[in-house]
Amino acid sequence: MEDRIAVVGAGSTKFRPDTSEQNWKELMFEAASKAYLDAGLNPRKDIDSFVTCAEDYWEGFSIYDEFVPDQLGAAMRPTCTVCGDGLHGLAIACMQIMSGMVDVVAVESHSKISDLNTYNDVVLFAFDPIYNRPLAGHPYYVAGMEMNAFLNGSGNTEEQCAGVASKNMTNALKNPLGAYGKNVGVGDVMGSEPMFSPAKKLDIAELVDGSIVLVLARAEKAKDITDNPVWITGFGWNSGTPWLEGRAWGRASYAEEAAKMAYKMAGIAEPRSEIGFAEVDDKFSYKELMHLEAVGLAGKGQAGNDLENGRFQPDGDIPINASGGSLGCGNLIEASGLHRALEVVLQLRGQADGRQLNDIERGLAQSWRGVPTASGAVAVFER
């Protein structure tokens, strides 16, 4: 990237299954206040633009944009909402800075999914209304079909997917933000309730509430704001076909293309040797293996073997989801990508407490919007 952009502030709520004592505006306010305090900035004077990632269907009302500014300190200021994952919002914020129009941007994303009583029905609205939606049923059947295609095509196994769930839930025990940390073994996952064959209950991330805010700044500003900047050196995004009948099942082409874009920007030719650690989407256990192969951090058909050899453990060659990921911390819906980015920033700052990784200089965050989309993003961060 010709324009250097840094993360200069970060804040988040804890991630919890139920936040009935807070409304969604209060969650956003809490995360924003922490991020502004972290950066030492007054949002009314020092931040030029605000980006929120949200989807009207999740919020329960239309034109969500109108209800964003107050709790972010953005009233009467440039504000926009992005109907996408938090990493899409991060990319928008970077492009605003690169345009030369602004110097400092706040990016927010959140989940208040506990307010939604009809999650399955809302997800079905993303399906084709003629061919797929009338089939009804729980929409996660798509994940079961994709998991089956991925395992058959790659040679990875159900037991290796269970190993992902075991690793991430165990990692989350060291993350105070996480909601679902627990000691589970491969046998526990394999023996859990069958859900969407071959996916079992512990292969699937539970939903959770929470909000995350990152503050980005142009290099010249960043140097005045913090002495511990984390640089964004590459980002990319991609959306595949929404048609279930037309996509390449068992392959995350959106992650492959997003990674190519981000690596080109960051000047990365060999990701397996040039990236020290990663936080990748794991809303379903098989997705971690699929995404690692897509972004080039594991060879085709080798992610499961790498997992079994300990390569992805916190003390392994390339730690994956040391935060606990979505399986251990919870599925934050549109905020999942910003959760990935938050953890990479905290690790590179040396602020990850009991789960802090050693000797890291560069990390990757990767997101997926969830069933039934083929849409995702990738960002590369460096110290």
Side-chain angles (χ1 to χ4, degrees):
M1 287 175 58
E2 294 182 2
D3 297 290
R4 298 201 80 197
I5 298 170
V7 178
V8 297
S12 80
T13 65
K14 286 191 174 183
F15 310 143
R16 292 181 290 146
D18 183 3
T19 55
S20 53
E21 79 285 2
Q22 284 180 293
N23 63 38
W24 52 275
K25 284 190 173 185
E26 291 169 326
L27 286 176
M28 295 171 69
F29 177 79
E30 180 183 337
S33 299
K34 289 178 178 176
Y36 302 154
L37 180 64
D38 181 49
L41 298 178
N42 180 342
R44 304 296 299 148
K45 299 178 180 178
D46 303 323
I47 296 180
D48 303 315
S49 177
F50 301 80
V51 177
T52 290
C53 304
E55 162 62 65
D56 285 358
Y57 276 101
W58 296 136
E59 307 301 332
F61 49 86
S62 61
I63 319 178
Y64 172 76
D65 317 48
E66 298 177 1
F67 304 94
V68 167
D70 289 348
Q71 60 273 23
L72 293 182
M76 304 299 288
R77 309 291 299 283
T79 305
C80 70
T81 56
V82 176
C83 184
D85 174 82
L87 283 189
H88 290 97
L90 187 87
I92 295 291
C94 288
M95 288 188 281
Q96 287 188 356
I97 293 173
M98 294 164 75
S99 74
M101 295 179 64
V102 299
D103 293 322
V104 183
V105 183
V107 185
E108 188 275 346
S109 192
H110 63 273
S111 162
K112 194 64 166 70
I113 204 68
S114 66
D115 283 352
L116 183 63
N117 293 325
T118 55
Y119 173 79
N120 302 352
D121 296 323
V122 170
V123 174
L124 282 175
F125 272 102
F127 283 63
D128 179 88
I130 304 298
Y131 295 104
N132 303 132
R133 197 183 305 163
L135 297 174
H138 195 298
Y140 280 7
Y141 75 81
V142 173
M145 292 168 59
E146 185 178 61
M147 181 177 181
N148 206 30
F150 172 66
L151 297 184
N152 284 327
S154 68
N156 290 296
T157 67
E158 289 183 51
E159 289 76 10
Q160 290 167 337
C161 294
V164 170
S166 172
K167 169 178 69 70
N168 292 356
M169 291 180 187
T170 302
N171 286 348
L173 289 171
K174 294 183 177 180
N175 189 345
L177 298 178
Y180 297 104
K182 63 185 79 171
N183 277 314
V184 297
V186 171
D188 297 317
V189 181
M190 292 295 293
S192 62
E193 180 183 355
M195 298 296 287
F196 309 96
S197 182
K200 291 160 281 292
K201 184 175 178 62
L202 293 180
D203 285 310
I204 303 168
E206 301 276 358
L207 301 174
V208 75
D209 291 347
S211 176
I212 300 162
V213 172
L214 297 180
V215 182
L216 315 185
R218 184 187 305 282
E220 294 78 5
K221 286 281 187 179
K223 293 173 184 174
D224 295 332
I225 295 171
T226 180
D227 57 2
N228 193 15
V230 172
W231 301 100
I232 302 169
T233 56
F235 58 86
W237 66 92
N238 186 268
S239 291
T241 176
W243 292 87
L244 298 182
E245 295 81 0
R247 63 180 54 177
W249 290 81
R251 176 187 165 201
S253 57
Y254 54 91
E256 293 174 5
E257 297 303 317
K260 287 178 186 175
M261 186 175 171
Y263 292 159
K264 182 178 180 180
M265 195 177 290
I268 294 173
E270 298 291 341
R272 266 180 276 185
S273 60
E274 296 182 58
I275 292 174
F277 71 105
E279 290 280 319
V280 303
D281 185 273
D282 63 333
K283 292 187 177 74
F284 300 89
S285 61
Y286 76 94
K287 276 293 189 180
E288 177 171 304
L289 303 180
M290 176 189 278
H291 288 147
L292 288 172
E293 295 182 7
V295 302
L297 295 180
K300 298 298 183 186
Q302 293 302 309
N305 292 333
D306 286 350
L307 174 89
E308 289 183 328
N309 292 331
R311 189 165 177 258
F312 303 145
Q313 292 290 342
D315 59 353
D317 294 339
I318 177 167
I320 303 297
N321 288 333
S323 69
S326 293
L327 286 163
C329 294
N331 177 355
L332 283 156
I333 312 296
E334 302 292 20
S336 296
L338 223 52
H339 174 212
R340 303 274 95 79
L342 172 70
E343 179 66 16
V344 174
V345 168
L346 293 177
Q347 289 287 353
L348 289 173
R349 281 178 161 189
Q351 297 175 340
D353 299 326
R355 62 189 187 285
Q356 181 63 50
L357 304 173
N358 297 319
D359 302 323
I360 50 173
E361 296 292 333
R362 176 186 274 166
L364 175 141
Q366 180 266 333
S367 68
W368 168 56
R369 286 197 75 194
V371 169
T373 79
S375 180
V378 169
V380 178
F381 300 83
E382 298 183 32
R383 183 149 59 188

